[in-house]
Tab-separated table of all heavy atoms in Angstrom:
chain	number	residue	atom	x	y	z
A	15	VAL	N	0.849	-1.203	0.007
A	15	VAL	CA	-0.017	-0.029	0.003
A	15	VAL	C	0.921	1.221	-0.022
A	15	VAL	O	1.327	1.668	1.048
A	15	VAL	CB	-0.937	-0.006	1.250
A	15	VAL	CG1	-1.864	1.232	1.189
A	15	VAL	CG2	-1.696	-1.295	1.370
A	16	PRO	N	1.252	1.778	-1.140
A	16	PRO	CA	2.222	2.830	-1.239
A	16	PRO	C	1.806	4.190	-0.706
A	16	PRO	O	2.628	4.959	-0.258
A	16	PRO	CB	2.529	2.950	-2.757
A	16	PRO	CG	1.442	2.215	-3.460
A	16	PRO	CD	0.804	1.264	-2.425
A	17	ASN	N	0.494	4.442	-0.599
A	17	ASN	CA	0.049	5.656	-0.045
A	17	ASN	C	0.037	5.564	1.509
A	17	ASN	O	-0.663	4.785	2.048
A	17	ASN	CB	-1.350	6.009	-0.549
A	17	ASN	CG	-1.879	7.338	-0.082
A	17	ASN	OD1	-1.709	7.734	1.085
A	17	ASN	ND2	-2.605	7.992	-0.975
A	18	PRO	N	0.877	6.405	2.235
A	18	PRO	CA	0.925	6.273	3.632
A	18	PRO	C	-0.375	6.479	4.388
A	18	PRO	O	-0.668	5.864	5.362
A	18	PRO	CB	1.957	7.319	4.098
A	18	PRO	CG	2.496	7.969	2.823
A	18	PRO	CD	1.742	7.436	1.679
A	19	ASN	N	-1.208	7.448	3.846
A	19	ASN	CA	-2.501	7.668	4.446
A	19	ASN	C	-3.432	6.453	4.364
A	19	ASN	O	-4.117	6.098	5.357
A	19	ASN	CB	-3.213	8.878	3.878
A	19	ASN	CG	-2.401	10.140	4.107
A	19	ASN	OD1	-1.881	10.388	5.197
A	19	ASN	ND2	-2.364	11.042	3.146
A	20	VAL	N	-3.446	5.855	3.262
A	20	VAL	CA	-4.252	4.627	3.062
A	20	VAL	C	-3.739	3.481	3.894
A	20	VAL	O	-4.512	2.749	4.532
A	20	VAL	CB	-4.265	4.225	1.577
A	20	VAL	CG1	-5.031	2.892	1.346
A	20	VAL	CG2	-4.971	5.343	0.717
A	21	LEU	N	-2.403	3.348	3.996
A	21	LEU	CA	-1.828	2.343	4.850
A	21	LEU	C	-2.183	2.549	6.282
A	21	LEU	O	-2.637	1.586	6.983
A	21	LEU	CB	-0.284	2.342	4.694
A	21	LEU	CG	0.455	1.357	5.575
A	21	LEU	CD1	0.041	-0.046	5.267
A	21	LEU	CD2	2.005	1.533	5.375
A	22	ILE	N	-2.098	3.716	6.818
A	22	ILE	CA	-2.434	4.031	8.190
A	22	ILE	C	-3.942	3.694	8.436
A	22	ILE	O	-4.313	3.089	9.423
A	22	ILE	CB	-2.130	5.493	8.543
A	22	ILE	CG1	-0.605	5.653	8.607
A	22	ILE	CG2	-2.761	5.878	9.851
A	22	ILE	CD1	-0.174	7.117	8.672
A	23	ASN	N	-4.775	4.169	7.510
A	23	ASN	CA	-6.203	3.904	7.701
A	23	ASN	C	-6.566	2.415	7.655
A	23	ASN	O	-7.392	1.915	8.410
A	23	ASN	CB	-7.032	4.683	6.673
A	23	ASN	CG	-7.038	6.171	6.880
A	23	ASN	OD1	-6.920	6.607	8.032
A	23	ASN	ND2	-7.159	6.928	5.870
A	24	THR	N	-5.961	1.709	6.777
A	24	THR	CA	-6.165	0.298	6.624
A	24	THR	C	-5.717	-0.467	7.902
A	24	THR	O	-6.460	-1.257	8.472
A	24	THR	CB	-5.420	-0.286	5.430
A	24	THR	OG1	-5.836	0.400	4.241
A	24	THR	CG2	-5.643	-1.774	5.251
A	25	ILE	N	-4.576	-0.142	8.346
A	25	ILE	CA	-4.003	-0.835	9.556
A	25	ILE	C	-4.855	-0.393	10.838
A	25	ILE	O	-5.195	-1.248	11.659
A	25	ILE	CB	-2.558	-0.572	9.774
A	25	ILE	CG1	-1.723	-1.122	8.636
A	25	ILE	CG2	-2.033	-1.105	11.130
A	25	ILE	CD1	-1.858	-2.633	8.397
A	26	SER	N	-5.220	0.851	10.911
A	26	SER	CA	-5.998	1.336	12.039
A	26	SER	C	-7.369	0.640	12.109
A	26	SER	O	-7.808	0.224	13.145
A	26	SER	CB	-6.239	2.837	11.945
A	26	SER	OG	-5.011	3.523	12.053
A	27	ARG	N	-7.952	0.484	10.925
A	27	ARG	CA	-9.314	-0.190	10.855
A	27	ARG	C	-9.142	-1.666	11.367
A	27	ARG	O	-10.020	-2.205	12.112
A	27	ARG	CB	-9.932	-0.128	9.539
A	27	ARG	CG	-11.237	-0.881	9.371
A	27	ARG	CD	-11.853	-0.624	8.088
A	27	ARG	NE	-12.351	0.736	8.090
A	27	ARG	CZ	-12.947	1.276	7.097
A	27	ARG	NH1	-13.183	0.675	5.991
A	27	ARG	NH2	-13.403	2.532	7.175
A	28	ARG	N	-8.082	-2.356	10.844
A	28	ARG	CA	-7.925	-3.739	11.297
A	28	ARG	C	-7.608	-3.863	12.741
A	28	ARG	O	-8.011	-4.743	13.466
A	28	ARG	CB	-6.816	-4.361	10.395
A	28	ARG	CG	-6.579	-5.830	10.725
A	28	ARG	CD	-7.804	-6.628	10.422
A	28	ARG	NE	-7.580	-8.036	10.705
A	28	ARG	CZ	-8.516	-8.847	11.211
A	28	ARG	NH1	-9.764	-8.368	11.446
A	28	ARG	NH2	-8.196	-10.084	11.438
A	29	VAL	N	-6.821	-2.890	13.290
A	29	VAL	CA	-6.511	-2.892	14.770
A	29	VAL	C	-7.791	-2.783	15.508
A	29	VAL	O	-7.945	-3.435	16.552
A	29	VAL	CB	-5.504	-1.783	15.069
A	29	VAL	CG1	-5.431	-1.507	16.570
A	29	VAL	CG2	-4.114	-2.137	14.548
A	30	ARG	N	-8.685	-1.888	15.104
A	30	ARG	CA	-9.988	-1.723	15.768
A	30	ARG	C	-10.766	-3.048	15.748
A	30	ARG	O	-11.360	-3.400	16.737
A	30	ARG	CB	-10.801	-0.574	15.202
A	30	ARG	CG	-10.281	0.782	15.621
A	30	ARG	CD	-11.298	1.869	15.230
A	30	ARG	NE	-11.541	1.987	13.847
A	30	ARG	CZ	-10.806	2.738	12.998
A	30	ARG	NH1	-9.782	3.392	13.422
A	30	ARG	NH2	-11.142	2.775	11.688
A	31	GLN	N	-10.746	-3.730	14.592
A	31	GLN	CA	-11.453	-4.994	14.516
A	31	GLN	C	-10.814	-6.024	15.453
A	31	GLN	O	-11.582	-6.762	16.115
A	31	GLN	CB	-11.404	-5.548	13.097
A	31	GLN	CG	-12.281	-4.725	12.082
A	31	GLN	CD	-12.042	-5.279	10.636
A	31	GLN	OE1	-11.055	-5.966	10.376
A	31	GLN	NE2	-12.973	-4.874	9.817
A	32	LEU	N	-9.517	-6.119	15.503
A	32	LEU	CA	-8.892	-7.064	16.369
A	32	LEU	C	-9.096	-6.764	17.853
A	32	LEU	O	-9.163	-7.659	18.669
A	32	LEU	CB	-7.374	-7.136	16.036
A	32	LEU	CG	-6.977	-7.736	14.723
A	32	LEU	CD1	-5.491	-7.446	14.392
A	32	LEU	CD2	-7.282	-9.239	14.679
A	33	SER	N	-9.216	-5.465	18.168
A	33	SER	CA	-9.412	-5.043	19.566
A	33	SER	C	-10.854	-5.274	20.027
A	33	SER	O	-11.095	-5.294	21.235
A	33	SER	CB	-9.081	-3.581	19.681
A	33	SER	OG	-7.738	-3.355	19.405
A	34	ALA	N	-11.776	-5.381	19.097
A	34	ALA	CA	-13.189	-5.515	19.421
A	34	ALA	C	-13.498	-6.697	20.314
A	34	ALA	O	-14.355	-6.715	21.180
A	34	ALA	CB	-14.048	-5.560	18.200
A	35	GLY	N	-12.787	-7.839	20.083
A	35	GLY	CA	-12.923	-8.993	20.932
A	35	GLY	C	-14.169	-9.831	20.745
A	35	GLY	O	-14.466	-10.622	21.580
A	36	GLY	N	-14.849	-9.670	19.627
A	36	GLY	CA	-16.056	-10.479	19.390
A	36	GLY	C	-15.658	-11.731	18.714
A	36	GLY	O	-14.720	-12.376	19.056
A	37	GLY	N	-16.314	-12.090	17.644
A	37	GLY	CA	-16.011	-13.250	16.865
A	37	GLY	C	-15.483	-12.835	15.475
A	37	GLY	O	-15.191	-11.712	15.279
A	38	GLY	N	-15.522	-13.745	14.567
A	38	GLY	CA	-15.251	-13.496	13.156
A	38	GLY	C	-14.041	-12.641	12.885
A	38	GLY	O	-12.958	-13.055	12.952
A	39	SER	N	-14.302	-11.370	12.558
A	39	SER	CA	-13.285	-10.436	12.145
A	39	SER	C	-12.346	-9.992	13.226
A	39	SER	O	-11.342	-9.368	12.942
A	39	SER	CB	-13.881	-9.180	11.466
A	39	SER	OG	-14.606	-8.447	12.416
A	40	SER	N	-12.635	-10.347	14.472
A	40	SER	CA	-11.764	-9.937	15.556
A	40	SER	C	-10.699	-11.018	15.848
A	40	SER	O	-9.829	-10.791	16.769
A	40	SER	CB	-12.538	-9.635	16.855
A	40	SER	OG	-13.168	-10.804	17.319
A	41	ARG	N	-10.683	-12.093	15.120
A	41	ARG	CA	-9.684	-13.140	15.294
A	41	ARG	C	-8.495	-12.814	14.309
A	41	ARG	O	-8.791	-12.559	13.118
A	41	ARG	CB	-10.241	-14.468	15.044
A	41	ARG	CG	-11.239	-14.857	16.078
A	41	ARG	CD	-11.678	-16.294	15.893
A	41	ARG	NE	-12.688	-16.577	16.896
A	41	ARG	CZ	-13.785	-17.287	16.543
A	41	ARG	NH1	-13.981	-17.727	15.395
A	41	ARG	NH2	-14.669	-17.512	17.507
C-alpha cells in the first residue's frame, strides 16, 4: 500500500477490529 494515508487507515481499521474482541473479524 504505497500511499501512507491509506496504509495508516487500513491498519487502524484492522487494529480496531482485532481489539473488538467479538468473533469472526476480531480473530
Side-chain angles (χ1 to χ4, degrees):
V15 183
N17 183 321
N19 294 323
V20 174
L21 177 60
I22 290 168
N23 288 334
T24 302
I25 297 303
S26 296
R27 178 172 288 179
R28 184 62 182 141
V29 165
R30 283 192 300 271
Q31 289 175 344
L32 290 168
S33 298
S39 67
S40 66
R41 293 188 183 135

